[in-house]
Amino acid sequence: MARGSAFARAALAGNPSDGYGGATLAVVVQDFLAEVEAEPATPEADPPASRLVRATITRFERELAPGAPPAVVRLRTSIPRAVGLGGSSAIVIATARALCELHRVELHPDELASFALAVETEDLGIAAGLQDRVAQAYGGLTFMDFRDGIYESLDPALLPPLFVAWNVAAAGHSGLTHSNLRARFERQDAAVLAAMARLGDLARAARSALLAGDTEEFGRCMDGSFDARRGMLALDDRHVAMIELARELGASANYTGSGGAIVGCCRDEAHGAAVTAAFTDAGHHAIALAVRADWPESRNVARRVNPDT
């Protein structure tokens, strides 16, 4: 039995500039996980119910394991659906990892991320960028500069106390947001171009702030990322209300993605506990975000990739 898994993802700054030559900073959310088991299929095996899984198997067998016997895959996921925590990309990454183990295929995290993006964008027609796939392929805390083609694993211990809050009643698929944004970008919409440049700068500044131990500046980069998004997109009032609640409580906050979840930065653990309690009292789900220290061996070493892929 081969197994693969992938954690949820929370963008911290710079999102959603990943598909537009910008930069982002993101961390995996280890409280939520997509898990896949794969083994050779039997004649009576049913095809997987998930179209993400089916598309991943089809592309994998076509490109990476031609002639290999068909696989049967079982999926479990605890990632809240359609709230912007990277649940879809986690399913693809987990499936690809299980298939790699099953068929003895090795993929570098860069290759895994690109493969997962192709499954969603080319095979399923989902508008998406590389951020989620790179963050989930690398794990831990990752800085991604899509202008210069650099992915860098950073020590999660650099992060201040974080929380994630979401509202399942405000869930929504991100594909429509991204497809509309792509159309505006291709029309050279001035507001979108300016916002993407601003978002990339904020992600780079957030990285620098973490390395310098400047929590206040890091929080400003999170706040600025949300403000740049709000300046170019019509946002769901329910999502905005969560950001405003975080700010009222003294926390900086940004969207984790483009659904119904936010991520916030707190002064200390006590402040974080008070903020998560307030969100729970307001009817939201909220957790303190903890990232284990077993981050990649390529620590603080930036890997340059082709920014055009």
Side-chain angles (χ1 to χ4, degrees), residues 10-13 24-27 140-144 152-162 202-222 264-266 291 300:
L12 301 174
T24 62
L25 183 70
V27 66
L141 172 66
T142 309
F143 169 70
M144 297 155 268
E152 181 182 16
S153 295
L154 300 173
D155 187 350
L158 295 169
L159 291 167
L162 301 174
L202 286 165
R204 298 179 188 102
R207 171 192 174 276
S208 297
L210 285 180
L211 293 174
D214 190 341
T215 299
E216 290 187 4
E217 176 61 17
F218 176 73
R220 284 191 287 269
C221 292
M222 292 184 69
C265 167
C266 300
V291 184
N300 286 336

Side-chain angles (χ1 to χ4, degrees), residues 217-230:
E217 176 61 17
F218 176 73
R220 284 191 287 269
C221 292
M222 292 184 69
D223 285 332
S225 295
F226 169 76
D227 292 337
R229 176 188 291 264
R230 179 160 56 178

